[in-house]
Amino acid sequence: ALAAETAQLATLDGEYATAVTEWVTAVRRTPGYMGSAVAMLSQVPTERRPAVLTELRRADDLAARRIGASLQARWGQPLDGLRSLRDVLPTDRTQAVEVLQDFLEEVRIQRSGARDARLAQGEGFELLASLVDGPQAARLWLEAAQAYTDAGDQGAARRMLNRLATDPAASPTVAAQAASTLVGVLIEEGQLEEAGQRLAALDDERARMTHLG
């Protein structure tokens, strides 16, 4: 609690090096302070932000990287935030999933720099999918594909959709959504003939499922 109080005072006084040190200490001891640390440090004047991020990189542990990544999401640098975080993810899968989900929620709320935000979400969902199994992974691959499509990275979107196409764990609903997304990707790429073929196959599959139902 003392570290958090010191951090708050240092932030308000503009003593950002001290503030970073104390916030990182507070979050290490009590992860619940993460929200307060990000909320207060995010108000740092624009010209002082690089110095704050430098101080956080010097700390170089998970708590510091999480604070820094969330700040970068708020400051319009979500891709840099994700890539910094990726280097220090816990080896424990459950903890790594929690860290990534928290960051992706920050990106979702902020949506600063829309294209970079969607690219960060695409990379984040893809990374999450590598940490889980079965239908959950399939759903994340689809979300990654949709994010990449929105960001205009059709190659990455197609890569995710191709993984889904060969994944036996994908549910019929996810498979149908993936096929629909792929049609959109093909249209964006100008591959209208293949898009028409995929759309016809999708219509046939929907008709089959309706008949079975």
Side-chain angles (χ1 to χ4, degrees), residues 14 25 28 30 94-95 105 134 137 140 162:
T25 298
R28 281 177 188 148
T30 309
T94 300
Q95 292 178 11
E105 179 63 14
L140 287 165
N162 286 338

Side-chain angles (χ1 to χ4, degrees), residues 196-209:
Q197 292 171 352
R198 296 275 186 167
L199 188 57
L202 181 60
D203 287 341
D204 289 345
E205 180 62 17
R206 284 172 175 161
R208 186 182 73 83
M209 294 301 293

